[in-house]
Amino acid sequence: MRIIKKLWSKVRRRLPALGVLLLTVVLIWLAFGKSFRSLLPLIREGDGDAIVTYLSGEDAVMGMVSVALLSALQVASIVMPGLAIHIAAGVLYNWWKAFLLCYGGFVGGNMAVFWFVRHLGKRSPYNISLGTVGTKVLDLLSSAPPMFVVIVAFMIPGVPNGIVPYLAAKTGLSQKQYFVSTAVGSWLQILASCIAGDFLIRGNIMFGVIAIFIKWAALAAVLWKREWLMELFM
């Protein structure tokens, strides 16, 4: 009887994680179906035109669901760049719709990965080998205010930042702190990419370039005032 209780206790603790995983699989299948395998290489290569072609073939609702899911999957994959997804979404939808979909998917994907790694620990399928770069980033998260490091990591344009939640889960950051860091650090980068896509489809190349430039300007400002900002997160 005790063995059964212990077994049930272990299973019950993992039910929420299994439920989220099952729901994710179902949503992916409903949104992409059998075409998911052919879509993955396009995202990995950052082929924005091909992503636009794929999404334009979906109806309005499923197209928007696909954008949100792709933004979340980009995080879980670690290496998939989100820039192509954000620009493609801006091309297909108004910039504000694209932003809400991409931002919601990105923050949701980050929180899901962070939660999985934090709660499942070594048993997690997301227990990855950090490698040299990952170890250095983890050391930085430990030596500097973790919230500030996460914010800066999400502000670096064009660099896959899917590894951030895996590393952050191994620090002392709470879920609330990680949520705030993700929300603050990612919104401007995603917004600028969506606006750039919206402007580019309208032929306003100059405004699209300005939107991308804003990303770098914001990052430069944060790094310039890094000592003052780090004090806020101490």
Side-chain angles (χ1 to χ4, degrees), residues 109-128:
N110 267 278
M111 294 310 300
V113 172
F114 182 89
W115 188 87
F116 265 90
V117 177
R118 175 64 58 84
H119 285 77
L120 297 185
K122 294 182 179 180
R123 297 182 179 86
S124 170
Y126 298 107
N127 188 41
I128 59 173

Side-chain angles (χ1 to χ4, degrees), residues 112-190:
V113 172
F114 182 89
W115 188 87
F116 265 90
V117 177
R118 175 64 58 84
H119 285 77
L120 297 185
K122 294 182 179 180
R123 297 182 179 86
S124 170
Y126 298 107
N127 188 41
I128 59 173
S129 176
L130 297 181
T132 304
V133 176
T135 302
K136 289 182 178 179
V137 175
L138 187 60
D139 290 341
L140 183 60
L141 282 167
S142 302
S143 59
M147 290 184 69
F148 176 78
V149 176
V150 170
I151 289 173
V152 172
F154 285 134
M155 292 186 70
I156 301 175
V159 178
N161 44 39
I163 197 172
V164 174
Y166 296 90
L167 298 178
K170 298 177 183 295
T171 69
L173 278 176
S174 66
Q175 287 185 231
K176 181 179 179 180
Q177 288 175 323
Y178 185 69
F179 172 78
V180 172
S181 302
T182 304
V184 171
S186 64
W187 74 270
L188 181 59
Q189 309 304 314
I190 295 175

Side-chain angles (χ1 to χ4, degrees), residues 201-215:
I201 196 61
R202 298 167 189 260
N204 297 326
I205 298 177
M206 180 60 69
F207 287 102
V209 172
I210 291 174
I212 297 297
F213 173 76
I214 290 174
K215 293 183 174 187

